[in-house]
Amino acid sequence: MKCLFKKYDKINPQKYPTKFATFGVIAGISSHISPKMIEKPKIVFTTPTSKYLLKYLLKNGSKSFRKTALPFIKKITRILAKISQMKKIYIEISDICGLKCSFCPAPKGIRGVMDLGLFKKAVLESKHHTNLIALHILGDPLSVENLADYLAIAKEANLKVEITTSGANLSDFDLLLQSPIKQVNFSLDALNEVENRDFLLGRIADFCAYKRQIKSEVFVNLRVQKRARNRNLVAFLEREFGVKNLARFLGELAKSKGANWDSILDSRANRNLEANRIKLGDKIIIDFREVFAWNLKGNSHGDSSDSNESSAIRGTCHALNHHIGILSNGEIVPCCMDFSGILSLGNIKDSSIKSALTSRRAQKMLKGFRENRILEPFCKACDYRKCFDLRIDS
């Protein structure tokens, strides 16, 4: 086998604003190449080089090589398309939820419900950048009466949908357990402050039971933040899902890390605790999540334009890389934490996601994230992004 390239690619990832994942590509031309040889990559190439390489192989490879390698090349081409995509795009179809949780930003209902025309435009824009949309930033998508119409638009665009809800507006089980829904996240913390908590928790348990009954492939994520007041939610999970000694299990886990029950629910010193996710089977998961405080000060429409590099702090974030958000009024924001549009990158009504991502502000933020520097005042004050700081090599 004649090797076409003998050295690793020298392209500098910092020059490319898109994701820079690497993967194996066979760099060779041979009239006797076999599928087994194709399955074992010899050289690792970066995305731009791989695109060029695949075109070269198709054009200049021998006839037998093209015939043998074509399925492999088609697969790599699909991978290339996915590499440039975001993990998800948040499209807020409403900032109304109907609850008044003490830990959540208020007031809500300022922007209202996104009309179907604007949603369709947001979806058509999003399909060029992802295959998954999350219908949530601040409000509860289940509060929208004609949710089925929004899901139909997403399905027509071949996009998967993720729903995040308190469960307070849960009614139509079948709607949420079929295409285009990929995952439903229940934020159980929100139900701690409502009078009919036990009834609503029971509805969520019924939903999970019905999902098992019809063997739906939709993922269900039961989220509980690590707060001491959530002991009653743990008791509910133990009772309804047959998870024995869950409280004891978490207490022992905390103890093994030199902590106690309260600290595993309250303290941010335990971000690295393992086994925060417990699989119940049938694609149902209990997810114990870190506590974070919403950046209310940064969302007060004060001056967030001072992104002087000399005042940058150490840190990083997945915003603009793994995800981006669109508020129900059309404002494009870098992440799901910017519920007021402080870091607006334009409006989907008269702009595009591509324009937002290539804007000077977005590119400056991205460059900072790649270099582990936080530039925007809003991002400096963000509590949620600090969990990513732990992944920065010291």
Side-chain angles (χ1 to χ4, degrees):
M1 177 178 179
K2 297 179 181 180
C3 192
L4 187 64
F5 293 88
K6 294 183 178 180
K7 295 183 179 180
Y8 285 95
D9 181 26
K10 299 295 185 180
I11 295 178
N12 182 0
Q14 299 295 344
K15 292 183 179 180
Y16 293 88
T18 57
K19 292 181 182 176
F20 218 80
T22 60
F23 56 90
V25 176
I26 292 293
I29 299 178
S30 171
S31 59
H32 303 289
I33 192 167
S34 68
K36 186 173 291 187
M37 295 169 69
I38 295 174
E39 290 172 3
K40 296 183 178 180
K42 305 297 182 183
I43 299 179
V44 175
F45 285 90
T46 49
T47 302
T49 299
S50 299
K51 291 180 179 179
Y52 169 79
L53 174 62
L54 292 176
K55 290 180 180 179
Y56 185 94
L57 293 178
L58 282 174
K59 182 178 179 181
N60 300 288
S62 64
K63 184 177 180 180
S64 60
F65 172 83
R66 292 197 300 271
K67 182 179 179 180
T68 309
L70 190 57
F72 169 78
I73 292 176
K74 286 183 177 179
K75 183 177 180 179
I76 289 298
T77 301
R78 290 195 296 270
I79 292 175
L80 280 170
K82 290 182 179 180
I83 283 176
S84 62
Q85 289 187 327
M86 292 185 166
K87 182 178 180 181
K88 72 177 74 171
I89 291 180
Y90 292 86
I91 304 180
E92 178 191 72
I93 61 174
S94 171
D95 66 341
I96 303 168
C97 79
L99 300 181
K100 296 180 180 180
C101 301
S102 59
F103 57 84
C104 199
K108 299 177 183 177
I110 297 176
R111 293 182 290 273
V113 178
M114 177 183 285
D115 67 72
L116 286 172
L118 184 58
F119 177 74
K120 186 172 185 178
K121 183 175 182 181
V123 163
L124 293 178
E125 278 286 332
S126 298
K127 68 181 296 185
H128 298 298
H129 302 274
T130 189
N131 58 12
L132 175 65
I133 57 174
L135 305 186
H136 167 79
I137 288 184
L138 188 58
D140 188 336
L142 299 192
S143 68
V144 179
E145 294 183 359
N146 60 332
L147 176 61
D149 296 333
Y150 292 83
L151 296 179
I153 292 174
K155 186 174 182 177
E156 185 178 358
N158 293 317
L159 288 177
K160 296 294 183 181
V161 175
E162 180 178 304
I163 297 287
T164 298
T165 176
S166 65
N169 300 292
L170 180 62
S171 58
D172 191 341
F173 290 4
D174 288 306
L175 181 65
L176 301 180
L177 292 173
Q178 60 183 314
S179 178
I181 303 294
K182 178 181 180 180
Q183 179 169 310
V184 179
N185 306 312
F186 288 103
S187 299
L188 301 185
D189 289 58
L191 301 183
N192 256 335
E193 301 179 17
V194 297
E195 294 181 358
N196 57 340
R197 180 194 65 195
D198 292 342
F199 170 78
L200 294 177
L201 287 174
R203 287 286 290 169
I204 293 174
D206 292 341
F207 177 84
C208 293
Y210 183 66
K211 167 193 154 43
R212 285 172 164 167
Q213 178 185 333
I214 66 174
K215 298 180 180 180
S216 170
E217 291 298 310
V218 172
F219 288 88
V220 174
N221 201 332
L222 304 172
R223 295 178 175 177
V224 180
Q225 288 196 358
K226 297 175 183 176
R227 303 174 188 268
R229 72 173 191 172
N230 286 341
R231 294 172 188 264
N232 60 320
L233 295 178
V234 171
F236 157 75
L237 295 171
E238 286 182 330
R239 180 179 68 254
E240 295 293 340
F241 296 97
V243 184
K244 297 181 180 179
N245 299 318
L246 181 58
R248 180 180 177 182
F249 164 76
L250 289 174
E252 290 176 352
L253 176 62
K255 186 177 180 180
S256 69
K257 299 290 183 179
N260 54 38
W261 165 253
D262 285 341
S263 68
I264 193 174
L265 291 176
D266 270 340
S267 175
R268 297 177 191 179
N270 294 297
R271 289 189 184 276
N272 290 324
L273 281 172
E274 299 172 351
N276 287 332
R277 294 163 67 89
I278 299 175
K279 295 181 180 179
L280 301 178
D282 301 318
K283 297 185 177 180
I284 302 176
I285 296 174
I286 300 175
D287 186 8
F288 289 92
R289 301 174 69 86
E290 303 298 340
V291 178
F292 73 92
W294 284 88
N295 183 6
L296 301 180
K297 184 177 181 180
N299 270 287
S300 61
H301 284 281
D303 183 14
S304 185
S305 59
D306 180 19
S307 57
N308 192 332
E309 296 196 21
S310 63
S311 63
I313 64 173
R314 183 171 171 77
T316 189
C317 186
H318 290 330
L320 299 171
N321 188 6
H322 286 195
H323 65 272
I324 197 170
I326 302 174
L327 301 178
S328 60
N329 61 0
E331 289 294 315
I332 304 172
V333 292
C335 68
C336 58
M337 291 291 103
D338 186 10
F339 62 86
S340 292
I342 295 298
L343 300 176
S344 177
L345 302 173
N347 196 297
I348 202 70
K349 294 177 181 178
D350 50 24
S351 186
S352 66
I353 293 176
K354 182 178 180 180
S355 297
L357 291 173
T358 56
S359 66
R360 183 176 179 275
R361 188 176 201 177
Q363 287 299 299
K364 190 174 181 180
M365 290 174 66
L366 266 174
K367 183 175 184 292
F369 295 153
R370 288 197 300 271
E371 297 173 352
N372 297 327
R373 294 185 302 120
I374 302 297
L375 302 174
E376 292 280 354
F378 175 89
C379 303
K380 294 175 184 177
C382 178
D383 191 50
Y384 185 78
R385 66 139 189 94
K386 292 177 183 177
C387 64
F388 304 125
D389 291 351
L390 293 171
R391 304 173 188 177
I392 299 175
D393 294 330
S394 57

